[in-house]
Amino acid sequence: MGGIYSAERISGVFSYESSEVDWCEDNYKHSEHVVEYFNTMSSFVFFIISPIMLYLLHPYARERSLAIHTVWVMMIFVGLFSAYFHMTLSFVGQMLDELSILWVLAVGYAVWFPRKLFPSFIKDRSTFSKVILVVTVITSVSSFIKPSANAYALNCFGLHLLYTLAVEMRCCTDQKALRLAKLSVALWVLAISCWISDRFGCSFWQQLNFCYLHGIWHILIVMAVAYGSTLIAYLDANYEIPYSLPGLQYWPCDNWAVGLPHIVLKGTNKTHKQC
């Protein structure tokens, strides 16, 4: 009897709509097998942007550390788990979606957080990475206590990243870096505005028959991550590998008003930091 009960509980967390979270988009509107169709389809933008960013940042990662590729490899899994979650609204889908985001943040902190901002008791990046690992494991376990609060906690990391970016940009005179910082913040503000509006203003958007803000959040946030992570990587390159003369360019054309930012390494002689 106990075994049957356990099996039912396990199968229950995989079942459709077993999550406490339900976004504004109408359920099963376009398919009887997909709960939130647009939210599911918009998650596939991660599969488009992530491989491109892996390719564009490879010269920098090869010079700095190939571990940097882990960020965008894991972003592919964020897209995969996001699509699965919105397709099913299952509890397992929710946890996979949120935990994958948590671990992307953890890897980003481990490889890019400025050494000058380390706590005083931490002397090197290896120790800092171990602390991040321990904190992330504890946070991952804690996320099962109140899953409905996880998304709010994850978004709070964005505020800390904005603060860190502001500290790093105070003495920056590189106009391309300053422009990239403004674009990164603007994309994040637009993205989080869509997320909040979908979460708390659903009745208003339902009256307008426009319940797709969470899907737009997917698109905006992956672009914000592309812009923001490239900026952080550029600042990191100026500190850690200044001899490579890092610069910023945009793909596919540097002269276009929009594009995907990436780092170019122009030389091997030592240079002064711009930021």
Side-chain angles (χ1 to χ4, degrees):
M1 193 72 178
I4 295 174
Y5 179 70
S6 299
E8 288 178 348
R9 290 193 64 182
I10 292 173
S11 63
V13 298
F14 285 92
S15 62
Y16 274 55
E17 299 184 83
S18 55
S19 169
E20 296 179 8
V21 179
D22 190 357
W23 300 96
C24 192
E25 184 182 356
D26 293 333
N27 295 348
Y28 303 105
K29 185 174 182 179
H30 300 286
S31 171
E32 61 181 11
H33 303 293
V34 178
V35 181
E36 296 175 340
Y37 186 84
F38 187 76
N39 286 349
T40 301
M41 293 299 107
S42 62
S43 299
F44 285 91
V45 71
F46 288 85
F47 297 104
I48 299 171
I49 301 299
S50 298
I52 297 174
M53 292 304 298
L54 279 168
Y55 170 75
L56 292 176
L57 290 177
H58 181 65
Y60 156 71
R62 184 175 54 196
E63 187 69 26
R64 174 70 171 83
S65 170
L66 290 176
I68 286 163
H69 281 324
T70 309
V71 173
W72 283 104
V73 169
M74 292 185 68
M75 284 290 284
I76 296 174
F77 285 95
V78 171
L80 175 65
F81 294 142
S82 175
Y84 173 63
F85 170 46
H86 290 291
M87 184 180 75
T88 64
L89 286 189
S90 65
F91 176 77
V92 168
Q94 176 194 343
M95 297 309 297
L96 287 173
D97 181 27
E98 293 168 348
L99 289 176
S100 63
I101 296 170
L102 174 65
W103 282 89
V104 166
L105 288 167
V107 172
Y109 271 95
V111 299
W112 281 323
F113 195 74
R115 284 188 294 172
K116 66 180 182 180
L117 298 180
F118 284 179
S120 58
F121 63 90
I122 296 177
K123 304 302 181 184
D124 55 69
R125 189 167 296 279
S126 176
T127 304
F128 181 73
S129 298
K130 291 174 183 175
V131 172
I132 291 293
L133 175 62
V134 171
V135 171
T136 307
V137 169
I138 294 172
T139 306
S140 298
V141 175
S142 302
S143 67
F144 288 87
I145 297 174
K146 191 171 178 57
S148 59
N150 292 344
Y152 303 100
L154 287 171
N155 279 316
C156 289
F157 282 101
L159 298 175
H160 181 255
L161 290 172
L162 283 178
Y163 168 77
T164 303
L165 185 60
V167 171
E168 286 292 284
M169 297 301 295
R170 280 184 304 185
C171 301
C172 184
T173 58
D174 186 323
Q175 291 304 308
K176 270 197 167 183
L178 291 170
R179 177 176 178 269
L180 183 57
K182 292 175 184 177
L183 289 171
S184 301
V185 173
L187 283 167
W188 183 81
V189 170
L190 285 173
I192 199 66
S193 297
C194 287
W195 190 92
I196 292 172
S197 189
D198 184 273
R199 183 79 280 180
F200 298 106
C202 183
S203 58
F204 170 77
W205 294 107
Q206 284 178 335
Q207 291 176 6
L208 298 180
N209 196 29
F210 189 82
C211 304
Y212 308 112
L213 288 180
H214 191 79
I216 295 173
W217 143 268
H218 288 157
I219 298 168
L220 290 173
I221 199 62
V222 75
M223 293 302 297
V225 173
Y227 277 59
S229 65
T230 300
L231 175 60
I232 293 169
Y234 173 68
L235 298 173
D236 172 79
N238 274 281
Y239 287 124
E240 303 292 346
I241 50 172
Y243 58 84
S244 65
L245 296 176
L248 287 170
Q249 288 187 3
Y250 288 84
W251 179 88
C253 180
D254 195 41
N255 295 324
W256 289 7
V258 293
L260 289 175
H262 62 101
I263 299 170
V264 291
L265 305 181
K266 306 173 189 175
T268 56
N269 294 325
K270 289 187 176 181
T271 184
H272 294 294
K273 292 180 288 186
Q274 289 179 301
C275 297

